[in-house]
Amino acid sequence: AQSVTQPDIHITVSEGASLELRCNYSYGATPYLFWYVQSPGQGLQLLLKYFSGDTLVQGIKGFEAEFKRSQSSFNLRKPSVHWSDAAEYFCAVGAHNAGNNRKLIWGLGTSLAVNP
Amino acid sequence: DTGVSQDPRHKITKRGQNVTFRCDPISEHNRLYWYRQTLGQGPEFLTYFQNEAQLEKSRLLSDRFSAERPKGSFSTLEIQRTEQGDSAMYLCASSLNRGWGTGELFFGEGSRLTVL
């Protein structure tokens, strides 16, 4: 079955420290992978996406993610975290259902807290 | 273009009442999605439209829920005879009907429903 796992429910880092949020997926075909961020009381904003080509993708706000097919992972990274990065982060995989309709399958999210 | 807008942002209602949410997608987007999100969870797919046609409905969408997109522009999501379990954030998203490469979802800020 198609699924997305974000192993870390909550992470706390200090401002200026590096960050890595984990995402593992289960999908039979070539995955289309996304990371979204949701700030408190806000909608979801796309950080970056992977479809093909270079396995290291750059996104907005200084984030990057690396697709590793052998590990079925798409981990999100940032070299230096800012206090404004505190938010909920969701990994998602784009899939087709039996009717060939496109849909996103979401992880449960990782809540990031940033200490000053 | 101001992005995806949702109204109201917050609705408090008593159990048994009907509520309606409205979503105005990005104007050139022909796909419109409704998701539900509860605290600590990722978004759950409810339904989506391509133009005015409702192409898929989740089994989460009981017969108390109905969604319309009459002219292929804005959409409404109505919940009849609300129950406390309906309390959640209802998210609307829109996209262009293309492959995943350009078919990313743009989300509104959500409509939070509280059923007392």
Side-chain angles (χ1 to χ4, degrees):
Chain A
Q2 303 157 355
S3 66
V4 175
T5 302
Q6 293 181 245
D8 305 304
I9 297 173
H10 186 88
I11 285 181
T12 300
V13 299
S14 297
E15 189 168 18
S18 63
L19 172 70
E20 182 170 35
L21 302 182
R22 296 183 290 164
C23 173
N24 295 96
Y25 67 89
S26 173
Y27 186 62
T30 301
Y32 299 92
L33 296 160
F34 305 81
W35 274 100
Y36 280 82
V37 61
Q38 187 175 33
S39 298
Q42 301 297 311
L44 290 146
Q45 182 182 22
L46 180 68
L47 283 175
L48 48 75
K49 58 192 177 187
Y50 170 79
F51 300 116
S52 63
D54 193 346
T55 55
L56 183 65
V57 294
Q58 303 296 320
I60 62 171
K61 304 184 180 185
F63 285 92
E64 66 178 26
E66 186 171 12
F67 170 59
K68 293 185 178 180
R69 184 184 298 274
S70 62
Q71 299 178 17
S72 298
S73 69
F74 188 56
N75 294 347
L76 182 71
R77 300 195 295 250
K78 186 169 184 178
S80 178
V81 170
H82 187 262
W83 64 267
S84 61
D85 293 325
E88 191 86 15
Y89 291 80
F90 292 94
C91 181
V93 60
H96 289 86
N97 63 9
N100 204 35
N101 293 317
R102 291 185 289 121
K103 62 191 305 180
L104 285 178
I105 299 169
W106 297 82
L108 295 182
T110 297
S111 177
L112 174 66
V114 180
N115 287 332
Chain B
D1 193 345
T2 57
V4 179
S5 62
Q6 293 186 244
D7 183 71
R9 293 289 310 279
H10 195 182
K11 177 72 174 179
I12 301 173
T13 191
K14 293 182 179 179
R15 187 177 54 186
Q17 298 295 304
N18 299 343
V19 296
T20 299
F21 300 114
R22 175 180 170 122
C23 172
D24 287 272
I26 294 172
S27 57
E28 65 267 28
H29 286 184
N30 55 0
R31 286 200 171 201
L32 187 147
Y33 301 77
W34 285 100
Y35 285 84
R36 181 173 67 187
Q37 186 180 23
T38 52
L39 194 64
Q41 300 292 316
E44 296 174 294
F45 170 80
L46 292 179
T47 188
Y48 91 93
F49 294 84
Q50 181 166 311
N51 299 314
E52 67 276 8
Q54 188 172 20
L55 295 187
E56 185 177 355
K57 292 169 58 176
S58 165
R59 53 186 165 82
L60 292 174
L61 214 66
S62 76
D63 55 5
R64 296 186 298 105
F65 288 70
S66 62
E68 295 182 342
R69 194 183 184 197
K71 298 182 179 180
S73 57
F74 74 92
S75 175
T76 57
L77 176 68
E78 181 182 17
I79 308 173
Q80 297 182 325
R81 305 181 302 280
T82 53
E83 301 173 356
Q84 288 184 326
D86 297 331
S87 296
M89 177 78 86
Y90 291 86
L91 298 169
C92 178
S94 69
S95 74
L96 289 168
N97 181 27
R98 297 178 184 174
W100 284 111
T102 51
E104 69 180 77
L105 301 186
F106 292 82
F107 282 85
E109 294 184 335
S111 292
R112 181 170 297 283
L113 174 64
T114 302
V115 182
L116 303 176

